[in-house]
């Protein structure tokens, strides 16, 4: 197990370096001039513009800029925001709390709903219950999450008036009120993952149910509920667990759209604002932070998956 974890950690280092190169190149490929935007977007004095570029380090060749950024990363400094003058690391951590709350609640909701739904669909294979669950998942997969979010806003916010449509209140300040502001964005993100994970859980359960040990467990007279939860679920959940890491990355990526729709002050909204403001340090730092979370999450998923695989445990 130790060697398995060590190999995964060593493999993650070149992955993050490659991601850093890609992020740097993509950010620098964005149209516009950060120095020009800092000066108001319209200036006739070229000397002032050149001075601002020197202050921001944008007058250096791209390789020099990249190595300077990489040096700051290894020193634990992600730079200073061009727009606000605040440390990038502090900005990211401040916004990440909102995004993490939304993403974790959405993932938890998706797992709570998808696991029983997938097991029930497999247990009732080729019945009306199975067909209904399959149709609902296909229907949801055909709907983009941002459109679902807008429909939820219109229905529960504008028409019924049950939930707030815009704004945010931290649950640490007022738990009940803060929760009402998170219901719609969490539901919007969770519905897509529920559809994917239900189908994964159903497919895995159907495969496991054809195994000899399931037939043997039923022949011993075990109750069907015990067969499902003690024998089918642990063996069918492994592929779904692998999907959790991919789903978390998808939720983080989708958070940019969801937080913009629901005006949540999270990491996704920070990314969008940084793109419009050409705030290179914040944009690079936030993207690298998300990539690091993705790598760490998949490392944890691999470790958790190893408990389902004896070969990995012995390595």
């Amino acid at each position: 197990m130790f060697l398995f974890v060590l190999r995964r950690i060593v493999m993650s280092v070149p992955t993050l370096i490659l991601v850093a190169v890609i992020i740097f190149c993509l950010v620098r490929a964005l149209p516009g001039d950060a120095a020009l935007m800092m000066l108001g977007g319209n200036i006739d004095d070229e000397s002032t513009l050149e001075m601002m570029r020197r202050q921001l380090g944008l007058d250096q060749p791209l390789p020099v800029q990249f190595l300077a950024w990489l040096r700051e990363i290894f020193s634990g400094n992600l730079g200073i925001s061009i727009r606000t003058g605040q440390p990038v690391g502090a900005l990211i951590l401040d916004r990440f709390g909102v995004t993490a709350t939304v993403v974790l609640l959405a993932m938890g909701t998706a797992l709570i709903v998808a696991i029983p739904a997938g097991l029930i669909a497999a247990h009732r294979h080729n019945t009306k219950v199975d067909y209904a669950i399959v149709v609902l998942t296909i229907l949801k997969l055909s709907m983009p999450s941002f459109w679902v979010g807008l429909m939820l806003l219109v229905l529960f916010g504008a028409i019924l008036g049950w939930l707030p449509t815009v704004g945010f209140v931290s649950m640490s300040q007022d738990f009940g009120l803060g929760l009402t502001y998170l219901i719609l964005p969490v539901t919007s993100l969770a519905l897509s993952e529920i559809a994917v994970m239900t189908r994964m859980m159903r497919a895995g359960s159907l495969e496991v149910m054809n195994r000899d040990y399931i037939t043997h467990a039923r022949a011993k007279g075990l109750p069907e509920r015990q067969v499902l939860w003690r024998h089918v679920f642990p063996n069918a959940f492994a592929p779904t667990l692998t999907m959790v890491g991919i789903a978390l990355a998808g939720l983080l990526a989708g958070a940019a759209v969801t937080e913009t729709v629901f005006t949540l002050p999270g990491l996704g909204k920070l990314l969008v604002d940084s793109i419009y403001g050409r705030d290179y340090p914040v944009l690079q730092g936030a993207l690298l932070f998300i990539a690091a979370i993705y790598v760490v999450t998949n490392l944890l998923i691999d470790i958790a998956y190893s408990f389902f695989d004896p070969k990995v445990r012995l390595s």
Side-chain angles (χ1 to χ4, degrees):
M1 172 63 77
F2 175 75
L3 293 177
F4 171 77
V5 175
L6 184 61
R7 282 198 300 269
R8 289 293 187 273
I9 294 174
V10 171
M11 289 170 59
S12 66
V13 174
T15 301
L16 286 174
I17 293 176
L18 179 60
V19 168
V21 174
I22 294 173
I23 289 172
F24 181 84
C25 293
L26 289 177
V27 169
R28 288 304 189 275
L30 288 173
D33 190 334
L36 187 61
M37 297 193 71
M38 282 284 291
L39 295 172
N42 187 15
I43 187 169
D44 297 327
D45 189 359
E46 285 294 327
S47 62
T48 305
L49 183 60
E50 289 300 323
M51 186 186 304
M52 179 60 68
R53 283 175 178 158
R54 281 196 300 272
Q55 290 178 359
L56 298 176
L58 299 178
D59 61 325
Q60 300 292 326
L62 289 181
V64 175
Q65 293 183 39
F66 174 73
L67 290 176
W69 179 52
L70 209 60
R71 187 168 56 252
E72 290 181 346
I73 292 173
F74 284 116
S75 64
N77 177 24
L78 293 177
I80 302 296
S81 170
I82 293 175
R83 292 187 304 122
T84 66
Q86 296 177 268
V88 173
L91 271 175
I92 292 173
L93 292 177
D94 182 55
R95 298 293 191 94
F96 180 66
V98 178
T99 301
T101 302
V102 174
V103 168
L104 291 177
L105 285 175
M107 180 57 66
T109 303
L111 288 173
I112 290 171
V113 175
I115 291 172
L119 283 172
I120 292 170
H123 181 57
R124 301 291 186 87
H125 186 48
N126 288 334
T127 65
K128 291 182 180 179
V129 174
D130 181 30
Y131 295 150
I133 291 175
V134 170
V135 169
L136 286 174
T137 56
I138 293 175
L139 185 64
K140 178 57 198 76
L141 286 172
S142 65
M143 302 176 186
S145 60
F146 74 89
W147 182 85
V148 173
L150 290 173
M151 294 302 101
L152 291 174
L153 274 177
V154 171
L155 178 60
F156 294 102
I159 297 177
L160 298 176
W162 291 354
L163 295 168
T165 55
V166 294
F168 175 76
V169 174
S170 174
M171 288 193 293
S172 61
Q173 297 176 355
D174 189 326
F175 182 81
L177 183 61
L179 192 60
T180 60
Y181 278 94
L182 292 179
I183 290 175
L184 291 181
V186 167
T187 303
S188 174
L189 285 175
L191 284 174
S192 297
E193 302 309 324
I194 287 172
V196 174
M197 291 184 183
T198 298
R199 291 176 65 84
M200 287 289 297
M201 195 67 200
R202 176 182 177 273
S205 300
L206 286 174
E207 182 181 354
V208 170
M209 282 180 176
N210 293 324
R211 301 287 175 84
D212 292 338
Y213 58 84
I214 300 298
T215 304
H216 178 67
R218 286 171 173 160
K220 288 168 59 179
L222 291 178
E224 194 64 21
R225 180 177 295 181
Q226 191 172 348
V227 171
L228 287 175
W229 288 105
R230 286 188 58 184
H231 298 281
V232 175
F233 167 67
N235 295 285
F237 184 62
T240 306
L241 181 62
T242 305
M243 279 295 299
V244 170
I246 301 173
L248 279 173
L251 288 175
L252 283 172
V257 177
T258 303
E259 289 172 5
T260 302
V261 171
F262 293 97
T263 63
L264 296 177
L267 189 58
K269 186 69 165 56
L270 179 65
L271 274 173
V272 174
D273 293 341
S274 301
I275 291 172
Y276 286 130
R278 299 298 184 270
D279 197 341
Y280 295 152
V282 174
L283 187 55
Q284 291 171 172
L287 289 173
L288 187 63
F289 183 76
I290 292 173
I293 290 176
Y294 179 70
V295 170
V296 171
T297 301
N298 278 275
L299 173 63
L300 296 176
I301 293 297
D302 285 342
I303 295 172
Y305 188 83
S306 68
F307 289 100
F308 295 91
D309 190 346
K311 295 179 180 177
V312 175
R313 287 201 297 269
L314 294 174
S315 62

